[in-house]
């Protein structure tokens, strides 16, 4: 074990988790944090979620500040360093942009007063880019050093693993980074499923250009931030400043353009921004979860602009590439994994790169907290969450079949657009159980239930949760179905 891990282990040993808090958490805080967890769960692997987010407990919500308890100083620092942006976005979405976060590290001590047995730590103190958190749309000229790029320095082209699954996208990224705005790859649209490295590659280009072409203005944003800033500019009568700012960018990187869907005024503004930058020879880099031609509720004129340059996909990494990713990521975290552990993880985690990272973090957590050796049995625990491999994992199809049989409604009718109460209830129950018992994203769950969107999935889950509190018949049905499904798995 490296010196850094010895130091981490010592920090953890010095910090003990509280066995019981005398001050009960407030209902508002618990409700708020549960909403946050629902969003977080869809943005990280199941292993990361269980290891780093489930242990966090809500304490209080007061004056727009959410207070959470964490078990150790190491835990607090890891969350702030690795999940700063996720926590910031999530809490801003659930509360508002001005929301604050505070952590408390709780210690076991003779003093039962929570104020004296805990250490307060302000949240959001670690910012991967210490620039301003909001873009300054004031008519003021910033120097290049003051310009907010919003890039995360951990994403670089040097630590991006290239392979057959991303060959075209990574080759284009290198060409663009060395000659921004002057290649045929403008715009560059990178598309692929969640967790395959789109954001890493796009921000890697930005970081390379920012470092090697310091006179160029580089800006990373996502469709959500762009939309929010555009709406704010309308409310504050600053649409002109908004447009001037974005059209002054030399390299614009926009993540997740699929979320422009249905936002007509935002799309119109982005269309004119795109045209202005493109005609001026500025570099545009976009990412999406699907090819532009498959984007729904996005203006055709925008789609045609996206096809002006290069559209490159990133696919699931093959076995050899997964091994390389695991070795690279673990090395970056300061540990060297035995080859049989590397092979096991690469063989059993085939979903995406994010899940591979989650497995490595899970290993680190167990080594740090439990003083466990890194071996094959530990790798199996990380992959499956227990000491034995499951023989029959739950599938969405099996959940639908079980619910269908319980309510005596055939599957096709259950997932149809019918709004009859008994059909809608069966459908919502099936969706809720799928969300509860599988690691599928909201998007993939919606696709399995008649092509519904993520907001419909969330609404279904909330409906069932309300019924569980108010309707004994629904509660009994849920408990019966849950028992049946768990026995199956």
């Amino acid at each position: 074990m490296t010196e850094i891990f010895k130091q981490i282990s010592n920090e953890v040993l010095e910090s003990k988790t509280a066995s019981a808090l005398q001050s009960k958490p407030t209902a508002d805080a618990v409700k708020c944090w549960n909403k946050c967890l629902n969003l977080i769960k869809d943005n990280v692997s199941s292993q990361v979620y269980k290891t780093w987010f489930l242990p966090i407990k809500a304490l209080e919500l007061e004056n727009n500040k959410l207070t959470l308890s964490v078990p150790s100083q190491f835990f607090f620092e890891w969350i702030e360093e690795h999940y700063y942006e996720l926590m910031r976005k999530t809490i801003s979405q659930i509360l508002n942009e001005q929301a604050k976060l505070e952590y408390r590290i709780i210690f076991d001590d003779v003093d039962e007063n929570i104020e004296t047995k805990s250490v307060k730590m302000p949240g959001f103190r670690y910012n991967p880019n210490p620039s301003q958190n909001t873009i300054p749309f004031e008519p003021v000229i910033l120097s290049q050093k003051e310009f907010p790029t919003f890039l995360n320095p951990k994403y670089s082209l040097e630590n991006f693993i290239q392979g057959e699954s991303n060959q075209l996208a990574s080759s284009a990224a290198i060409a663009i980074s060395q000659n921004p705005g002057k290649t045929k790859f403008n715009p560059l649209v990178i598309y692929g499923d969640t967790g395959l490295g789109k954001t890493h590659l796009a921000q890697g280009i930005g970081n390379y250009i920012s470092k090697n072409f310091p006179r160029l203005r580089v800006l990373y944003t996502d469709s959500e931030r762009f939309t929010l800033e555009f709406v704010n500019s309308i409310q504050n009568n600053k649409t002109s400043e908004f447009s001037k700012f974005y059209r002054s960018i030399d390299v614009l990187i926009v993540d997740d353009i699929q979320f422009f869907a249905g936002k007509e005024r935002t799309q119109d503004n982005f269309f004119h921004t795109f045209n202005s930058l493109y005609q001026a020879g500025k570099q545009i880099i976009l990412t999406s979860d699907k090819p532009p031609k498959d984007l729904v509720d996005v203006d055709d004129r925008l789609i045609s602009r996206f096809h002006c340059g290069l559209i490159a996909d990133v696919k699931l990494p093959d076995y050899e590439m997964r091994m390389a990713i695991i070795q690279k990521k673990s090395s970056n975290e300061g540990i060297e994994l035995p080859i049989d552990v590397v092979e096991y993880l690469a063989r059993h985690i085939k979903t995406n790169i994010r899940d591979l990272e989650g497995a490595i973090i899970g290993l680190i957590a167990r080594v740090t907290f439990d003083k466990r050796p890194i071996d094959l049995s530990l790798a199996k625990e990380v992959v499956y969450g227990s000491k034995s491999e499951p023989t029959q994992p739950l599938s969405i199809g099996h959940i639908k079949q079980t619910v269908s049989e319980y309510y005596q409604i055939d599957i096709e009718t259950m997932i149809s657009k019918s709004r009859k109460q008994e059909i809608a209830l069966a459908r919502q129950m099936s969706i809720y159980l799928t969300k509860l018992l599988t690691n599928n994203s909201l998007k993939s769950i919606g696709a399995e239930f008649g092509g519904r969107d993520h907001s419909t999935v969330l609404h279904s889950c909330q409906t069932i949760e309300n019924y569980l509190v108010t309707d004994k018949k629904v509660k009994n049905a849920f408990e019966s179905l849950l028992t049946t499904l768990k026995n199956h798995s």
Side-chain angles (χ1 to χ4, degrees):
M1 186 181 293
T2 61
E3 287 301 318
I4 186 170
F5 266 82
K6 290 179 182 177
Q7 181 180 352
I8 290 172
S9 298
N10 289 335
E11 287 182 7
V12 175
L13 288 173
E14 291 170 3
S15 175
K16 295 187 271 184
T17 311
S19 57
L21 299 181
Q22 296 302 309
S23 177
K24 291 184 178 180
T26 64
D28 287 345
V30 173
K31 184 177 180 181
C32 175
W33 180 235
N34 284 339
K35 288 181 179 179
C36 291
L37 286 176
N38 283 335
L39 291 179
I40 290 169
K41 191 174 185 179
D42 287 314
N43 288 278
V44 298
S45 69
S46 59
Q47 188 58 54
V48 170
Y49 178 75
K50 292 174 184 175
T51 302
W52 296 106
F53 291 99
L54 277 186
I56 300 175
K57 305 300 179 185
L59 290 180
E60 60 185 23
L61 177 62
E62 188 177 357
N63 296 328
N64 208 30
K65 180 174 74 175
L66 177 64
T67 301
L68 304 173
S69 73
V70 292
S72 72
Q73 176 77 16
F74 167 63
F75 203 101
F76 159 71
E77 291 178 355
W78 186 279
I79 290 290
E80 278 289 282
E81 181 175 349
H82 292 82
Y83 301 108
Y84 163 86
E85 192 63 24
L86 176 61
M87 290 289 281
R88 186 191 65 78
K89 281 186 176 182
T90 301
I91 291 172
S92 295
Q93 185 170 339
I94 297 300
L95 293 174
N96 54 60
E97 283 290 323
Q98 286 72 46
K100 295 180 181 179
L101 174 64
E102 180 180 271
Y103 294 98
R104 287 190 188 173
I105 304 167
I106 312 296
F107 295 89
D108 256 338
D109 197 44
V110 293
D111 191 344
E112 294 300 320
N113 187 323
I114 192 171
E115 291 295 327
T116 58
K117 67 189 282 188
S118 64
V119 175
K120 296 180 181 179
M121 302 295 287
F124 306 149
R125 67 167 191 167
Y126 172 81
N127 189 337
N129 175 43
S131 307
Q132 295 151 283
N133 283 327
T134 56
I135 290 181
F137 298 135
E138 301 299 329
V140 59
I141 298 177
L142 298 175
S143 70
Q144 302 303 333
K145 288 184 177 180
E146 295 174 318
F147 189 83
T149 66
F150 295 100
L151 291 167
N152 189 331
K154 78 174 184 179
Y155 293 129
S156 71
L157 296 180
E158 289 77 10
N159 62 25
F160 183 82
I161 305 295
Q162 297 183 40
E164 289 186 11
S165 63
N166 58 38
Q167 190 62 58
L168 178 60
S170 56
S171 297
I174 293 171
I176 288 171
S177 64
Q178 294 173 349
N179 204 10
K182 296 180 173 59
T183 69
K184 295 181 180 180
F185 313 139
N186 194 22
L188 171 64
V189 181
I190 306 170
Y191 75 90
D193 288 336
T194 299
L196 298 182
K198 302 186 299 292
T199 298
H200 186 150
L201 197 54
Q203 289 211 37
I205 299 171
N207 278 313
Y208 184 95
I209 295 173
S210 184
K211 178 181 177 181
N212 293 281
F213 299 87
R215 298 187 65 180
L216 297 183
R217 287 186 166 194
V218 181
L219 180 72
Y220 167 82
T221 188
D222 57 36
S223 56
E224 180 189 359
R225 182 192 285 268
F226 185 92
T227 301
L228 180 62
E229 289 167 349
F230 177 57
V231 171
N232 287 340
S233 73
I234 294 173
Q235 292 174 341
N236 298 316
N237 295 318
K238 289 189 175 182
T239 52
S240 176
E241 288 90 337
F242 175 89
S243 297
K244 286 179 182 178
F245 177 85
Y246 268 96
R247 294 172 196 185
S248 73
I249 306 299
D250 297 299
V251 180
L252 177 62
I253 305 167
V254 184
D255 223 344
D256 294 324
I257 58 172
Q258 70 272 10
F259 293 124
F260 280 140
K263 300 166 183 173
E264 295 179 4
R265 289 196 64 183
T266 301
Q267 287 184 40
D268 183 66
N269 185 279
F270 186 69
F271 172 79
H272 293 295
T273 298
F274 184 104
N275 274 352
S276 177
L277 295 176
Y278 182 77
Q279 291 167 6
K282 309 299 185 181
Q283 183 66 52
I284 303 168
I285 301 161
L286 311 171
T287 76
S288 173
D289 65 353
K290 56 177 69 71
K293 64 183 179 61
D294 293 339
L295 292 174
V296 180
D297 291 333
V298 175
D299 197 322
D300 287 342
R301 59 179 181 167
L302 260 182
I303 301 294
S304 69
R305 293 299 188 276
F306 298 158
H307 281 271
C308 291
L310 177 68
I311 299 172
D313 66 338
V314 289
K315 302 184 182 74
L316 285 170
D318 57 24
Y319 173 73
E320 290 76 14
M321 187 174 171
R322 293 197 299 272
M323 283 190 63
I325 291 170
I326 292 166
Q327 290 173 319
K328 180 73 173 179
K329 298 286 185 184
S330 59
S331 175
N332 289 344
E333 297 296 343
I335 61 172
E336 185 175 345
L337 300 179
I339 189 62
D340 60 336
V341 170
V342 174
E343 291 174 344
Y344 185 86
L345 295 177
R347 194 162 53 247
H348 289 80
I349 302 177
K350 304 176 183 178
T351 46
N352 56 50
I353 298 170
R354 190 172 293 161
D355 286 342
L356 289 175
E357 292 176 331
I360 295 168
I361 292 170
L363 284 172
I364 292 173
R366 283 165 170 76
V367 170
T368 304
F369 293 134
D370 302 334
K371 309 287 286 183
R372 298 275 299 278
I374 300 177
D375 54 22
L376 204 53
S377 64
L378 183 61
K380 290 181 179 180
E381 283 189 41
V382 167
V383 172
Y384 294 110
S386 66
K387 294 186 178 179
S388 61
E389 301 178 14
T391 56
Q392 196 175 11
L394 279 172
S395 67
I396 296 180
H398 182 77
I399 293 173
K400 286 195 286 191
Q401 184 63 42
T402 303
V403 176
S404 168
E405 292 172 358
Y406 182 90
Y407 284 102
Q408 297 183 342
I409 299 172
D410 66 82
I411 293 177
E412 288 301 316
T413 302
M414 186 174 71
I415 68 174
S416 70
K417 295 186 181 298
S418 173
R419 295 188 178 182
K420 288 185 178 179
Q421 185 175 3
E422 63 273 18
I423 296 173
L425 176 61
R427 180 171 59 243
Q428 291 165 341
M429 179 66 77
S430 190
I431 289 173
Y432 181 68
L433 287 166
T434 300
K435 178 73 171 67
L436 186 68
L437 299 175
T438 74
N439 293 324
N440 288 277
S441 66
L442 296 178
K443 177 186 171 184
S444 61
I445 293 173
E448 290 283 344
F449 286 88
R452 290 170 165 83
D453 61 26
H454 73 283
S455 61
T456 304
V457 174
L458 283 175
H459 173 72
S460 297
C461 294
Q462 187 61 57
T463 299
I464 295 298
E465 287 180 350
N466 291 340
Y467 277 140
L468 293 178
V469 177
T470 60
D471 192 315
K472 190 173 182 179
K473 186 177 179 181
V474 174
K475 183 179 179 182
N476 290 338
F478 167 73
E479 290 174 349
S480 176
L481 285 164
L482 187 63
T483 299
T484 301
L485 290 167
K486 284 188 174 181
N487 287 339
H488 169 80
S489 64

